[in-house]
Amino acid sequence: MSRWQDFGLEWHESGHPEAPVLVLSNALGCTWEMWDPQIDALNAGYRVLRYNQPGHGGSAVLPGPYTLAGLSSAVLALLDHLGVQRASVMGSSLGGMVGLWLGAHAGGRIEGLTICCSSAWLGQEQVELDRAAAAREHGTNELVSPTIERWFTPHFREWHAETAVYAAMIASTDDEAYASCSELIGRVDLRADLPAITAPTLVVAGADDPATPPEHSAAIVAGIGANARLAVLPHAAHLANVEQAAAFNALLGLD
């Protein structure tokens, strides 16, 4: 495991050093372990860079307010640090927003994008502001139950004990970092940026995702145009790569 101190971001490199580079960007409240259902297969064909958002896992709690440009520029700085000129990016939720920003504003460095259960514009800033206030007042531990309900369908929550792992991720996220990320998500509006994305883009939605319903993914595809395609996974909520790992991996050609 590696810790890059300049930006306080904890990062980890795996796979083949000479293979194409793939950056994995995690959702709010998740650490890079959210990609565990994909990592073994990805390591077989990529040089994989995983990192944690500020205040997640071992990443430092950077001073706020956070901006999408700031979080995305930290990814570019990490690539610079490693001497990587071009990479693909796969991001979930907040991580998907990072991917969209990079595709629009640093397109010359982006080979391809996979955007999972994300949005170019949520249109619910007050909801995110309320979530930020709750994290600051009560702590992320109090957000575990409602978040798990958004992340996984009732069937998955009932039959899969590993939801406890994701509950622990939420509870371990720094309160202030969680709040700052929530405020950022509430402000994001990338709709005007989408036409600038020229990298091939796969946009994946969970059919039962209450946080970013499939119409948000469809809007991303429509905004990007011919270079983007949409896939909707049935029986999946917000963490579709976890809940429907086999189907998700098949979309990526990892089966």
Side-chain angles (χ1 to χ4, degrees):
M1 183 177 298
S2 302
R3 177 81 179 270
W4 185 38
Q5 298 290 349
D6 292 347
F7 282 80
L9 292 183
E10 181 183 39
W11 58 273
H12 180 263
E13 183 173 354
S14 59
H16 294 284
E18 304 304 319
V21 175
L22 175 64
V23 177
L24 302 181
S25 187
N26 53 301
L28 170 61
C30 283
T31 63
W32 64 42
E33 282 81 6
M34 70 166 290
W35 301 110
D36 281 356
Q38 286 75 48
I39 194 62
D40 287 344
L42 290 174
N43 282 339
Y46 292 94
R47 176 185 176 190
V48 181
L49 300 178
R50 288 190 282 178
Y51 74 97
N52 282 321
Q53 308 289 1
H56 294 62
S59 286
V61 181
L62 304 180
Y66 295 169
T67 66
L68 192 56
L71 295 189
S72 304
S73 295
V75 175
L76 293 175
L78 175 57
L79 294 177
D80 290 342
H81 174 74
L82 296 172
V84 175
Q85 293 303 309
R86 289 176 63 82
S88 295
V89 177
M90 183 159 66
S92 175
S93 196
L94 172 59
M97 293 174 173
V98 169
L100 292 174
W101 190 98
L102 290 168
H105 295 273
R109 303 191 66 177
I110 303 303
E111 295 277 5
L113 294 171
T114 302
I115 308 300
C116 314
C117 299
S118 192
S119 179
W121 179 67
L122 280 174
Q124 52 181 30
E125 183 173 6
Q126 190 57 53
V127 171
E128 296 301 329
L129 291 176
D130 292 345
R131 190 170 294 141
R136 290 191 175 103
E137 182 176 356
H138 303 293
T140 53
N141 190 61
E142 294 298 313
L143 298 175
V144 168
S145 180
T147 303
I148 290 294
E149 290 179 2
R150 291 194 304 274
W151 282 2
F152 302 110
T153 63
H155 180 271
F156 191 88
R157 297 197 304 270
E158 180 178 357
W159 292 100
H160 293 263
E162 63 263 35
T163 55
V165 174
Y166 294 90
M169 290 183 194
I170 301 163
S172 67
T173 303
D174 179 83
D175 300 343
E176 181 58 34
Y178 189 103
S180 293
C181 286
S182 293
E183 291 168 340
L184 181 163
I185 290 170
R187 295 191 302 269
V188 165
D189 187 351
L190 292 165
R191 290 174 292 178
D193 299 272
L194 295 177
I197 297 175
T198 59
T201 302
L202 170 63
V203 183
V204 182
D208 303 312
D209 182 1
T212 53
E215 54 264 32
H216 287 259
S217 294
I220 292 172
V221 171
I224 295 173
N227 292 319
R229 63 186 179 97
L230 174 66
V232 180
L233 293 179
H235 312 298
H238 195 52
L239 292 191
N241 73 295
V242 176
E243 186 159 5
Q244 293 297 335
F248 184 87
N249 291 357
L251 284 174
L252 301 181
L254 302 177
D255 56 337

